[in-house]
Amino acid sequence: MRLLHTMLRVGDLDKSIAFYTEVLGMTLLRRKDYPDGQFTLAFVGYGDEAHNSVIELTFNWGVDKYELGNAYGHIALEVDDVYKACEDIRARGGKITREPGPMKHGTSILAFVEDPDGYKIELLSPSRND
């Protein structure tokens, strides 16, 4: 397993991208709109996603502000096989909160588990195209 990205919900995507790229010196790695889901994802980081952990900025259309308590999203881990990882985690007493399967508005295979405090951890397969 390896740490992929941390997701943050943002109220102004352009302002956030400017902060992470211009103020912190990261690079905008990719950006994609999901019209059916009414959200945009932008990924920023200090290196390519194949070799580095990055930040996913999520802009939900029509939402311009979040309360501090709900701005954090999840930690993502890459696993060789999402289905097998869930079996192994469940066998070790872990709680699967979203069974493995395709992303709701995309095709990447993912699942979510929950830690003892209720924080979500996303499991993603290496072959992703969303």
Side-chain angles (χ1 to χ4, degrees), residues 8-28:
L8 301 174
R9 291 183 178 91
V10 300
D12 183 328
L13 186 58
D14 292 329
K15 187 182 238 183
S16 294
I17 290 171
F19 173 79
Y20 285 97
T21 59
E22 298 172 19
V23 175
L24 297 183
M26 293 183 184
T27 299
L28 176 61

Side-chain angles (χ1 to χ4, degrees), residues 68-82:
L68 191 56
N70 68 357
Y72 180 79
H74 63 267
I75 294 169
L77 299 175
E78 182 179 80
V79 297
D80 289 335
D81 180 331
V82 176

Side-chain angles (χ1 to χ4, degrees), residues 81-94:
D81 180 331
V82 176
Y83 296 92
K84 174 80 167 91
C86 284
E87 288 176 19
D88 293 345
I89 290 166
R90 188 177 282 119
R92 293 190 294 262

Side-chain angles (χ1 to χ4, degrees), residues 3-126:
L3 183 63
L4 293 176
H5 64 258
T6 298
M7 185 270 267
L8 301 174
R9 291 183 178 91
V10 300
D12 183 328
L13 186 58
D14 292 329
K15 187 182 238 183
S16 294
I17 290 171
F19 173 79
Y20 285 97
T21 59
E22 298 172 19
V23 175
L24 297 183
M26 293 183 184
T27 299
L28 176 61
L29 302 169
R30 59 188 170 107
R31 177 180 176 156
K32 184 174 179 180
D33 293 328
Y34 291 85
D36 290 342
Q38 297 197 356
F39 63 93
T40 302
L41 301 181
F43 291 81
V44 295
Y46 292 111
D48 67 88
E49 292 177 79
H51 301 98
N52 299 278
S53 299
V54 300
I55 296 174
E56 170 188 328
L57 303 173
T58 298
F59 174 68
N60 294 298
W61 301 356
V63 179
D64 62 0
K65 184 178 180 183
Y66 289 94
E67 294 181 27
L68 191 56
N70 68 357
Y72 180 79
H74 63 267
I75 294 169
L77 299 175
E78 182 179 80
V79 297
D80 289 335
D81 180 331
V82 176
Y83 296 92
K84 174 80 167 91
C86 284
E87 288 176 19
D88 293 345
I89 290 166
R90 188 177 282 119
R92 293 190 294 262
K95 181 179 179 182
I96 309 297
T97 60
R98 196 250 196 220
E99 293 296 325
M103 178 179 161
K104 187 172 182 178
H105 299 287
T107 58
S108 293
I109 301 300
L110 59 85
F112 279 87
V113 297
E114 190 175 89
D115 82 358
D117 294 300
Y119 287 105
K120 304 291 187 212
I121 296 123
E122 182 179 30
L123 305 175
L124 290 163
S125 66

